[in-house]
Amino acid sequence: MFDKILIANRGEIACRIIRTTRRMGIATVAVYSDADAHALHVEMADEAHHIGGSPVSDSYLVGNRIIQAALDSGAQAIHPGYGFLSENPEFVEAVEASGLIFIGPSSRAIRAMGLKDAAKRLMDRAGVPVVPGYHGEAQELVVLATKAREIGYPVLIKARAGGGGRGMRRVDDPDAFHEALAAAKREAKAAFGDERVLVEKYIEKPRHIEVQVFGDMHGNVVHLYERDCSAQRRHQKVIEEAPAPGMSDEMRAAMTEAAVTAARAIAYTGAGTIEFIVDASEGLRPDRFWFMEMNTRLQVEHPVTEMITGVDLVEWQFRIASGQPLPLRQEEIPLDGHAFEARLYAEDAAKGFLPAIGTLHHLEFPQGPGVRVETGVRPGDAISPFYDPMIAKLVCHGHDREQALSRLYKALTHTRIAGSVVNTAFLAALAGDSDFAAGEVDTGMIERKHAELTKMALPNFRDVALAAVGANRIAVTPSGQDPWDALGGYAHFHPIERSVQLLFGEEEVAARVSVNRNGSARVAVGPMTTTIAQDAGSGEAVRWPGHVTVFAGPSTHNFVVPDPFEQAEAHAAGGDALRAPMPGLVKIVRAAAGDTVIKGQSLLMLEAMKMEHTITAPHDGVIEEITEQGSQVTEGTVLVRFRE
Ligand code: ADP
Ligand code: ADP
Ligand code: MG
């Protein structure tokens, strides 16, 4: 077994790998970018090496710097996690050429499965059912259009180098094929640098069911049952579970056998996942599933498999990479109960799932039997625009599906995050959906129920009152002191009524708050009044700069508390400054100091969250100072200062 390994990743997966290494007595080396200098994975590792700037192309994707860090630190092996370099065969070869061990499959196996068309041809030859389609070399419109007609509409055009749900186009009608093909090729070229596509049958009422496999260097291959990842949004997994609901013994036998055959066909070693697409229009039938692709790495959703089998998949990865045989034979692998995983993201479900950023001023995860939380952040950490905005994975196990699902729902309602926009309410709506509860899920379900699942509950009067009390605490707190002490101090006097201004979205709320001798607060908004007990406010409402966040079941309500001091300060600090609304990269600067600009004129372009935001002049004026092109800015940085 290894004494020391390097983890070529960040976030929750790096932390999760470290937990297993600690148990096994293996020392760890973390790598980190500028933005991650104080990240949790850096703190948890035994040592850490800086590998470059914040963008992934300058750090987590720079293979030679990572290999050098491994050599410098005396690590014997590299665990790639998922994403980044985990499925890059050139990286595997470079790792091996430098005398280190790659904790994963061979570069040959990764190459065999790297391109979807070649992988499908290979699987077809190995006798694994493959989605009917054209996986050949020809790329001419006439050939592909003819193949599409033969396959029968609807068809799916897929980038052969695609991943992460991108580079796919469904076509329902021959007349739309030409245009869809051009668009798919453009998208594939831009995202993957490879415009080649394949065309396959679009499966109706599709379910995504995948099988976890493991191979060792002694020719053994086992499976660890299936996971159902049909709850998807834009081909991206949202909630995953194991085992698949409605799975019959016959169907499971057929699918797991096909998966093991697939792994054997490429002499696979380590952890891998065979993804299948299933036609569930008439239930699960053993002749209605087809190979879709193989992911030659540890999967994001691997914890659900760990929860039902009791196997630590990362431990198995270490054992296999160090040459040991598989720890269990097929018949020794248990299947116990049911597990769900929900991916908690910083994103705004109500605004088309716009990715969000921000500082996690408050971060509270649920605890309880069968609940496991995988995260790479702590309170006070930032979700930056540089990486995937996943905050955590909530994993829940139960003795059956119903118990596991009810634990997941409860866990979501006990997840309290303030400082960014989070998708907890959306996840809870899905976990609480009656079709989902019945196991009636296909990959189109979220889209069909989009309006229902993303409809955000409005705060009720009690929520508003909690926000007003929270905001009042800000107003009366002398700096540096505990707010409740301060309240105690003036509760000796006759209760003073204060007015509190709040903003909920565009809506202004004017409340009056008075604190009683016993610490409870009376809140009035217009003619309505209510009393909030002192201890009630502490867990349900949290304050952070400029805001109060109220947690109401699965809902998170963010109120803005306009701060007169802050506004005055901003004015004093240069009268008229335009600040960055979020951290990002100043991509293009279109004006210079001394320029006279008019209201609405585009001044610069800020790239954040993989999107471009144009910053325009808020009024006519003369620019005194403007930020430099190419600079990285944090939220609130002054981008432009106008002359008085
Ligand atoms: P899974 O089936 O495990 O969800 P995906 O292909 O969607 O697999 O990717 C897994 C994770 O890896 C995603 O959450 C994504 O953030 C990350 N990822 C995928 N591709 C890349 C990449 N090229 N660079 C960085 N991260 C990536
Ligand atoms: P990626 O590499 O982006 O993960 P996949 O080939 O695994 O690409 O497909 C991603 C998702 O797209 C699947 O989980 C499924 O929801 C959908 N999908 C893929 N192929 C088909 C198909 N032939 N018919 C219907 N849906 C499909
Ligand atoms: Mg996939």
Side-chain angles (χ1 to χ4, degrees), residues 116 208 237 275 293 295:
K116 293 183 202 290
H208 172 124
K237 299 160 186 171
E275 295 189 336
E293 67 163 343
N295 292 326

Side-chain angles (χ1 to χ4, degrees), residues 116 120 131-132 154-156 158-168 170 192 198-210 229-230 232 234-237 275-278 290-295 297 299 442-444:
K116 293 183 202 290
K120 281 176 175 152
V131 190
V155 298
L156 191 64
K158 250 188 211 183
R160 66 165 190 173
R166 288 173 305 162
M168 264 182 274
R170 176 188 164 146
F192 311 107
L198 54 112
V199 181
E200 60 186 37
K201 179 83 192 150
Y202 184 86
I203 306 301
E204 301 285 359
K205 197 143 192 284
R207 271 175 69 177
H208 172 124
I209 302 180
E210 57 186 35
C229 312
S230 303
Q232 300 186 349
R234 297 210 183 161
H235 309 302
Q236 304 244 39
K237 299 160 186 171
E275 295 189 336
F276 294 103
I277 189 97
V278 177
W290 300 276
F291 171 87
M292 200 157 47
E293 67 163 343
M294 178 169 190
N295 292 326
R297 54 169 161 87
Q299 203 95 337
D442 63 84
T443 63

Side-chain angles (χ1 to χ4, degrees), residues 583-595:
L585 170 72
V586 179
K587 201 89 185 274
I588 302 171
V589 175
R590 297 205 171 94
D595 284 2

